[in-house]
Amino acid sequence: MSSSRSKATEGLRQRILSLMGANPSGHTNEQVRAEVSDLLDQYYYEITDTRDLDDVLFHIGTNSFGYQLPTATSCSESTVDQEELLHEIINASDDNDETLLSFDYLKQFIKDVFLSYGIPEDRADVCSDVLVEADKRGIDSHGLGRLKPIYCDRMDEGILFPSPPIHAIKETETTALLDANLGLGLYVGPYAMDLAIQKAKAHGIGFVTVKNSTHYGIAGYYATMATEAGCIGFTGTNARPSVAPTFGVEPMLGTNPLCFGIPTDEPFPFVIDCATSINQRGKIEKYARDGEDTPKGAVVDNNGIERTDTEGILRDMVLGKCSLCPLGGSGTDLGGYKGYGWSTVVELLSTAFQSGPFGEDICGVDRLTGEPKPMPLGHYFLAIHVEHLCPLEDFQTNAGNFLRALRASKKSPLGPGRIWTAGELEYEARLQRSAGSKVPKSLQQVMIELRDKRPGMKEKYPRLPFEN
């Protein structure tokens, strides 16, 4: 890094790297491409005395974000070190300059952002609660960090609508099929699970499916809604394709979470909320930060090769040359067909009732024009009212006894000396985060950007807690 760069220029450089690191698929988003190009133009003209066209910023910009240099010089033959390129992106978003914000403050900020889009207050309140709940549970990948790229940007692009009506296509005493009309999944999900719970309380079971929805946040939120109502909860959703079927190399399935919630007599319910793929992109990014290889069988490229070169995987995922693998891996040796099968179950329950799209039709990008397009997702929500089968207290005690027996069972001498059950880590994270969540510099910048751009936000937040 040149010592001759001014602080302003270095700040601009770090801003560009953070934007690139936060948008590994940004090359498919015209708004991100335009923002990267504008910033790179500024950077180009600010470094006239030390201009280096082999700079990783120009290399990444031209090869992954469609940037064109102001001169005729091309970066396509750059000799930039690929490892330096990946490390600089990854480290740019691994920022330790954090500020602790209370969950009440975060929820109100997120709610106000949603209100600025014209979303009614009751819906904005529910949407903000779903996102903040993820942060409370330590699932930072689905909390505040999702506000802008998954919801605000998509509303700005016109591929997600702020507050369309939800209407029932068909409904019985125990079932319903809803059309969300491309509204916010963060509101659609709670609405649908609440409907399933009400049906279950009245008739023992409630099953609600949804079509034309959008990303609905953490599935565990909905399973927990059921457990708090004395029900067993089951939910899932499809997602944009990133996972190849067993013995395949083409992304056909989403990471498709499979989620169950079971009430217990403990301070927390049993809630298992996990993808049906081995990894998500965020996990591979963590391997890169830690300097580790990706486990064999977790990723396969277009040539059918099981890849372990983490930095190369990240690059090729952006270029569409790699796919994630289902639980169990790319083949059958470790039962990859099982994860593939469970992922297919989620996809079927998210599309078959709904006559919903899948695969390329929910990739979010028009392959001919490169323009963003809607991603109509399907969800399903099942609630089983325990009291229709046995006393709730007996069920909770029985469940708790078994879970405590699991945790008390013999530990591996090579392990951490402890056994956890699903939902326990999230409960402990909630206790540890009672004062709030540490917001990294990159998300502070996002909050500033939303405050400055959204109508009415600057009046409500003239100065954010981390602004000097």
Side-chain angles (χ1 to χ4, degrees):
M1 188 174 292
S2 172
S3 58
S4 60
R5 292 181 192 145
S6 69
K7 287 186 177 180
T9 301
E10 191 55 46
L12 177 59
R13 177 184 176 80
Q14 291 303 315
R15 184 179 171 191
I16 297 169
L17 283 167
S18 294
L19 178 62
M20 290 174 168
N23 293 277
S25 297
H27 66 298
T28 63
N29 184 314
E30 287 300 319
Q31 184 174 337
V32 173
R33 285 163 61 99
E35 188 173 355
V36 168
S37 293
D38 288 345
L39 292 174
L40 282 173
D41 279 344
Q42 292 179 43
Y43 183 68
Y44 178 89
Y45 288 113
E46 282 191 18
I47 58 172
T48 52
D49 296 333
T50 60
R51 186 176 296 149
D52 178 8
L53 297 182
D54 274 348
D55 191 309
V56 291
L57 290 185
F58 297 130
H59 183 82
I60 301 165
T62 55
N63 285 280
S64 294
F65 291 85
Y67 176 64
Q68 293 184 347
L69 284 162
T71 69
T73 306
S74 170
C75 291
S76 60
E77 296 180 1
S78 168
T79 58
V80 68
D81 187 294
Q82 293 293 320
E83 291 188 9
E84 178 190 352
L85 180 156
L86 262 299
H87 279 304
E88 193 152 356
I89 289 182
I90 292 160
N91 292 334
S93 39
D94 189 19
D95 205 321
N96 291 320
D97 191 3
E98 300 173 327
T99 298
L100 182 68
L101 297 181
S102 73
F103 289 119
D104 286 344
Y105 185 92
L106 284 175
K107 181 179 178 182
Q108 188 61 52
F109 180 88
I110 294 170
K111 178 179 177 179
D112 286 335
V113 170
F114 284 132
L115 288 172
S116 76
Y117 282 92
I119 296 170
E121 184 159 356
D122 59 338
R123 293 192 176 195
D125 189 68
V126 171
C127 292
S128 60
D129 191 60
V130 177
L131 289 182
V132 169
E133 182 63 23
D135 284 323
K136 288 180 178 179
R137 298 185 188 193
I139 311 172
D140 296 334
S141 61
H142 283 62
L144 173 66
R146 287 287 174 101
L147 174 61
K148 183 180 183 296
I150 301 297
Y151 305 104
C152 295
D153 287 354
R154 292 177 184 178
M155 286 189 284
D156 292 339
E157 291 165 350
I159 63 174
L160 187 166
F161 303 132
S163 190
I166 301 171
H167 71 265
I169 298 172
K170 186 173 183 178
E171 186 169 7
T172 70
E173 290 182 338
T174 57
T175 63
L177 170 60
L178 307 178
D179 190 334
N181 293 297
L182 291 176
L184 277 163
L186 295 174
Y187 173 74
V188 175
Y191 179 92
M193 179 52 93
D194 183 66
L195 180 59
I197 289 169
Q198 298 311 314
K199 291 178 179 296
K201 286 184 173 180
H203 304 286
I205 194 167
F207 184 63
V208 176
T209 60
V210 180
K211 66 182 296 183
N212 292 327
S213 188
T214 58
H215 194 284
Y216 77 169
I218 56 168
Y221 185 93
Y222 310 109
T224 304
M225 283 180 64
T227 62
E228 290 177 348
C231 296
I232 295 165
F234 174 43
T235 184
T237 179
N238 62 344
R240 71 167 72 193
S242 59
V243 180
T246 301
F247 298 130
V249 296
E250 180 183 357
M252 290 295 296
L253 300 153
T255 50
N256 294 8
L258 197 62
C259 180
F260 290 88
I262 298 174
T264 76
D265 64 353
E266 299 189 298
F268 54 92
F270 177 92
V271 175
I272 178 73
D273 173 8
C274 57
T276 48
S277 57
I278 293 176
N279 288 324
Q280 294 174 299
R281 184 191 297 270
K283 182 67 171 179
I284 295 172
E285 290 171 350
K286 185 176 187 303
Y287 290 141
R289 287 195 296 271
D290 295 342
E292 298 177 0
D293 286 342
T294 297
K296 187 176 181 180
V299 175
V300 64
D301 67 16
N302 289 352
N303 295 315
I305 298 171
E306 295 180 350
R307 297 278 291 276
T308 62
D309 57 317
T310 298
E311 293 172 351
I313 287 170
L314 284 173
R315 181 178 59 250
D316 284 350
M317 286 183 73
V318 171
L319 299 175
K321 296 180 179 179
C322 280
S323 298
L324 301 175
C325 294
L327 286 171
S330 62
T332 59
D333 290 348
L334 295 176
Y337 63 92
K338 298 177 182 178
Y340 165 40
W342 282 118
S343 183
T344 303
V345 167
V346 176
E347 196 80 36
L348 289 171
L349 292 177
S350 299
T351 59
F353 290 112
Q354 300 88 338
S355 297
F358 58 87
E360 276 290 302
D361 289 335
I362 55 172
C363 72
V365 179
D366 186 316
R367 298 299 189 191
L368 295 177
T369 66
E371 293 295 317
K373 69 175 184 179
M375 291 175 280
L377 303 182
H379 320 308
Y380 57 88
F381 305 85
L382 174 69
I384 303 171
H385 193 235
V386 173
E387 289 279 2
H388 274 73
L389 296 167
C390 73
L392 177 60
E393 185 176 349
D394 290 352
F395 182 95
Q396 292 173 317
T397 300
N398 293 336
N401 286 340
F402 178 65
L403 296 173
R404 286 185 286 274
L406 286 175
R407 296 197 293 267
S409 63
K410 187 175 181 180
K411 280 72 175 176
S412 166
L414 302 178
R418 181 177 174 185
I419 295 171
W420 287 265
T421 53
E424 189 174 7
L425 288 173
E426 291 80 1
Y427 172 71
E428 291 179 351
R430 181 187 293 275
L431 296 179
Q432 293 166 2
R433 294 185 172 200
S434 58
S437 179
K438 292 181 179 179
V439 178
K441 190 75 172 180
S442 57
L443 288 184
Q444 294 173 25
Q445 191 60 43
V446 168
M447 292 178 70
I448 291 172
E449 182 179 346
L450 290 171
R451 185 272 313 272
D452 291 346
K453 287 176 61 177
R454 298 305 308 162
M457 288 292 291
K458 198 142 193 175
E459 290 75 16
K460 293 180 180 178
Y461 300 92
R463 181 180 174 186
L464 294 165
F466 40 76
E467 291 184 299
N468 295 325

